[in-house]
Amino acid sequence: MDHIPREFISLLLDKVDLVDLISARLPIKKKSANNFFACCPFHNEKTPSFSVNQAKQFYYCFGCGEHGNAIDFLMKYDHLGFVETIETLARQVGLEVPRTQHQEDKQDTTAPLYAITAEAAAFYQAQLKKSPRAIDYLKQRGLSGTIAKQFGLGYAPAQWEQLLQQFGDTAQNKQKLLQAGLTIKKEDGGYYDRFRDRIMFPIHDRRGRIIGFGGRIIDQGEPKYLNSPETPIFQKGQELYGLYQSLQANRKLNRLLVVEGYMDVIALFQHGINYAVATLGTATTPHHLHQLLRYTNEIIFCFDGDEAGRRAAWRAFEVVLPMMHDELQIKFMFLPEGDDPDTLVAREGKERFEEQLSKALTFTNFFFHHQLQQADLSSMDGRARFTAQALVYIKQLAPGVLQEMLLDELAKKARITAEQLKQQTGHTQSVSAKRIANGRQIKSQTTTPLRLALILLVQHPELAHHISEPLPELSLPAYPFFIKLIEICRQHPHLTTGGLLEFWREQKEEKLLAKLASWELVIPETGVKEEFLGAIRGLTRSAHDQVIQRMLAKAAQQGLSDEEKSQLTQLIADK
Ligand SMILES: [Zn+2]
């Protein structure tokens, strides 16, 4: 992203209005001078908790925590990539995105790979039409011609150099085929086709570009499924088969079903379940989950009903746990023994299948189900072990309604009172008390000067221009970050909160910044400047204290020179 000049992005954010952008897509209500509210487009809710601040050019959802500036909103809402978003916004305000050399270079390395995968997909599709055997196979699996076309299914002929001959006419093209993972290099220097005599499933990225293939053997043979290797445009642990088609088929995804194979996804689509995805031969990774959560708040994992399926489900549970929160619905569905999603939906049809989906185990039920399998609740010892084990997981959840529910359920099952359990865990606050603590309200008197200065600066970047004294030297963990913020705000006189955040996109401070931006300060707007300058004075005092402490320590250890002694006296007197 550094290939679009930062100055241009700042200019763009200055011209775009977040409220206009959002109100063109959602019904939004004005609540006070700068504050607008809407029902959150990123999670399901009935009462609006999605707030948009016009002065800050920043949105924040009190329900699910989604937040950001105009770029973030468009990326998430329209499912666009960063560069596409910049282009879209630029078009809206009539600016042209300046291209730098760097981006042209970058395009040159991957663009030919996307081109060759697209050409290969078209080639495989054409070959399918010429292969009655492959067509028969798909028919026998119950797939219609329409669905085969929708997913771009093809066939790789049973020959060693078909693709190579078709596209590998020059050394450069041979290299491209190899880089895209479509051919394999022989020891003697020649090449041969990777996929032979297989049904070909093109794998799309979110934008619909073909990034790789899965190939399934038609008759017997190993391996049954063969995927493209990792290439510059294809990373297995990140992509989800069917996500592109699900996004195409649904304006808003109420839920996503995660299944195991390509054929499952396609069969489900054919029967009207057009919200299914599959991982590409790997277990669910945090990266997958992160992707899915960009589009929906409800995920149903579908597993085989056998022991292997249960184990896979628990692995998925462990990936979900750290990301779990109150607004998220995670369910686990186990198929009847011997069934695949593909066979089940074919036999039962859409409605009955969705009925089964609605009966899937909830996050809570699955958790206790799994824990109880190894527990012995008949003895006190067994119950204690069960409690301890379960707590290891429950403690990983953020405080909230879900955690509270799990604790109550655990208390019931372990036959102790909820109060006892909460005492054991030091978990004594009630939900409502925590709600207030998490309510993101902060009074200026109850926080440190640095934190207050950070919050005020992020929310009112223009404050940077009101500091007349040089900033003190101070050794505190977040202080260098504060100095950097001041610097950027001074360089960009019209910066909004949303614009400021943009400087930290995909950097580790991004989260902290968003948090600072979303705190609600109990300060009247007119007092903001005074509070800020007061906080800066507080910082100067802390810096003095640090010097005094350092000198006192030195005095105790090795003594002070006369000059230092008078400096110390002066410092203490100033205090
Ligand atoms: Zn939300």
Side-chain angles (χ1 to χ4, degrees):
M1 83 192 43
D2 43 354
H3 38 254
I4 296 178
R6 174 152 320 280
E7 294 312 313
F8 178 77
I9 296 173
S10 292
L11 175 71
L12 189 61
L13 282 175
D14 199 31
K15 295 221 170 204
V16 171
D17 180 39
L18 181 64
V19 173
D20 287 348
L21 189 75
I22 294 179
S23 61
R25 289 167 176 79
L26 309 172
I28 181 169
K29 275 206 183 107
K30 193 163 184 160
K31 222 175 167 190
S32 61
N34 273 312
N35 267 307
F36 295 76
F37 271 83
C39 277
C40 180
F42 305 118
H43 83 277
N44 288 318
E45 63 174 7
K46 293 196 180 71
T47 49
S49 51
F50 183 80
S51 72
V52 186
N53 189 296
Q54 194 158 31
K56 292 182 194 168
Q57 291 290 302
F58 178 74
Y59 67 88
Y60 179 79
C61 174
F62 288 91
C64 67
E66 279 290 349
H67 59 260
N69 59 26
I71 298 175
D72 296 297
F73 181 80
L74 208 59
M75 283 175 77
K76 278 170 200 149
Y77 191 82
D78 283 358
H79 308 315
L80 299 177
F82 180 78
V83 176
E84 283 172 293
T85 303
I86 299 294
E87 281 164 355
T88 309
L89 288 173
R91 259 196 311 277
Q92 275 183 19
V93 296
L95 290 173
E96 191 163 330
V97 183
R99 301 279 174 193
T100 62
Q101 195 55 45
H102 181 80
Q103 184 176 17
E104 278 153 24
D105 288 352
K106 197 174 174 195
Q107 269 188 339
D108 278 343
T109 62
T110 57
L113 297 185
Y114 290 118
I116 193 81
T117 50
E119 283 182 89
F123 170 77
Y124 291 139
Q125 266 185 291
Q127 294 300 312
L128 177 63
K129 293 200 184 101
K130 294 186 209 160
S131 169
R133 194 165 128 268
I135 293 173
D136 277 350
Y137 172 79
L138 291 177
K139 277 193 185 147
Q140 172 228 321
R141 292 292 303 257
L143 297 192
S144 69
T146 317
I147 201 81
K149 205 166 168 208
Q150 188 186 345
F151 280 83
L153 301 193
Y155 170 66
Q159 284 164 43
W160 291 88
E161 295 188 345
Q162 193 90 27
L163 200 67
L164 197 62
Q165 278 168 12
Q166 187 77 20
F167 300 109
D169 51 341
T170 63
Q172 205 190 1
N173 286 340
K174 285 195 178 79
Q175 193 57 32
K176 268 194 258 168
L177 286 169
L178 182 70
Q179 271 200 348
L182 292 164
T183 56
I184 296 174
K185 199 169 185 168
K186 287 193 259 189
E187 295 208 343
D188 69 7
Y191 304 89
Y192 61 94
D193 291 0
R194 177 181 298 273
F195 299 101
R196 299 174 309 276
D197 195 20
R198 285 174 183 271
I199 299 289
M200 298 299 289
F201 301 81
I203 299 162
H204 298 83
D205 67 6
R206 283 182 297 125
R207 293 164 60 179
R209 295 176 301 189
I210 294 170
I211 52 177
F213 294 89
R216 194 203 189 281
I217 207 99
I218 295 186
D219 302 318
Q220 298 303 311
E222 289 296 325
K224 202 155 112 186
Y225 283 97
L226 180 68
N227 282 328
S228 291
E230 304 253 319
T231 72
I233 57 172
F234 179 51
Q235 284 89 39
K236 270 177 226 188
Q238 306 194 357
E239 302 298 337
L240 290 151
Y241 186 75
L243 183 58
Y244 171 66
Q245 286 82 358
S246 297
L247 290 170
Q248 290 294 106
N250 301 276
R251 166 75 258 184
K252 186 176 168 190
L253 281 161
N254 291 324
R255 58 185 172 184
L256 276 163
L257 179 64
V258 184
V259 294
E260 254 178 274
Y262 315 120
M263 280 305 250
D264 295 326
V265 170
I266 298 176
L268 285 164
F269 263 75
Q270 180 167 321
H271 290 93
I273 314 280
N274 58 5
Y275 47 86
V277 298
T279 58
L280 298 164
T282 67
T284 307
T285 64
H287 204 103
H288 286 138
L289 200 67
H290 199 77
Q291 283 250 40
L292 294 171
L293 294 178
R294 289 174 66 170
Y295 305 110
T296 186
N297 267 325
E298 183 178 344
I299 299 170
I300 306 170
F301 290 99
C302 184
F303 293 100
D304 289 345
D306 59 6
E307 190 42 43
R310 297 263 158 193
R311 272 200 307 275
W314 183 252
R315 273 203 303 276
F317 177 93
E318 288 186 312
V319 173
V320 174
L321 185 70
M323 297 191 211
M324 195 61 194
H325 59 78
D326 289 350
E327 304 286 333
L328 206 59
Q329 278 201 65
I330 303 284
K331 290 180 183 168
F332 297 85
M333 175 182 184
F334 293 96
L335 297 162
E337 201 97 20
D339 255 330
D340 285 328
D342 154 2
T343 54
L344 187 67
V345 74
R347 192 177 63 239
E348 306 273 322
K350 180 183 184 200
E351 246 169 63
R352 299 262 301 268
F353 187 89
E354 286 191 325
E355 229 174 83
Q356 304 238 26
L357 278 187
S358 65
K359 288 186 209 141
L361 288 176
T362 61
F363 184 82
T364 309
N365 286 346
F366 173 68
F367 173 67
F368 282 111
H369 195 89
H370 184 86
Q371 290 298 316
L372 286 169
Q373 275 181 332
Q374 312 133 7
D376 165 26
L377 295 189
S378 60
S379 72
M380 247 191 19
D381 266 7
R383 290 200 293 274
R385 255 198 313 277
F386 163 71
T387 308
Q389 180 96 56
L391 277 175
V392 171
Y393 294 99
I394 299 176
K395 277 182 177 171
Q396 291 180 45
L397 287 168
V401 180
L402 178 72
Q403 194 189 45
E404 200 85 3
M405 264 169 50
L406 282 164
L407 284 172
D408 287 343
E409 193 61 32
L410 177 59
K412 243 186 258 163
K413 293 201 153 62
R415 289 187 238 158
I416 48 178
T417 67
E419 283 316 307
Q420 278 173 314
L421 187 62
K422 282 165 200 171
Q423 268 160 22
Q424 271 183 36
T425 58
H427 183 101
T428 44
Q429 280 179 314
S430 70
V431 175
S432 57
K434 247 176 283 139
R435 272 281 153 77
I436 292 163
N438 289 345
R440 297 185 169 273
Q441 278 209 348
I442 193 165
K443 288 203 174 89
S444 54
Q445 308 89 299
T446 58
T447 187
T448 65
L450 181 55
R451 194 169 171 83
L452 180 62
L454 274 166
I455 293 173
L456 286 166
L457 181 62
V458 169
Q459 301 198 3
H460 304 273
E462 74 280 1
L463 287 171
H465 305 284
H466 295 298
I467 306 173
S468 46
E469 312 268 307
L471 286 161
E473 271 177 49
L474 195 55
S475 78
L476 285 173
Y479 194 63
F481 177 60
F482 177 69
I483 300 288
K484 179 90 194 151
L485 280 171
I486 293 274
E487 218 174 274
I488 287 180
C489 294
R490 281 177 170 166
Q491 284 162 3
H492 301 83
H494 304 294
L495 213 55
T496 60
T497 302
L500 183 61
L501 254 67
E502 196 52 42
F503 283 81
W504 272 270
R505 178 171 294 278
E506 286 179 10
Q507 294 184 39
K508 65 178 194 307
E509 293 89 355
E510 191 183 20
K511 260 200 166 144
L512 170 65
L513 266 178
K515 218 173 181 177
L516 295 168
S518 59
W519 279 104
E520 228 177 294
L521 270 167
V522 195
I523 298 174
E525 286 289 312
T526 48
V528 163
K529 186 177 151 193
E530 270 323 298
E531 284 286 348
F532 182 70
L533 294 177
I536 298 290
R537 283 193 297 273
L539 288 176
T540 307
R541 274 195 305 276
S542 306
H544 276 179
D545 285 346
Q546 280 188 348
V547 176
I548 293 172
Q549 289 309 321
R550 231 175 286 138
M551 289 181 100
L552 287 174
K554 193 181 172 197
Q557 275 173 4
Q558 57 191 90
L560 297 175
S561 68
D562 286 344
E563 195 187 330
E564 284 170 327
K565 273 182 198 153
S566 66
Q567 200 188 343
L568 180 60
T569 321
Q570 187 59 48
L571 279 169
I572 293 172
D574 282 351
K575 251 187 110 175

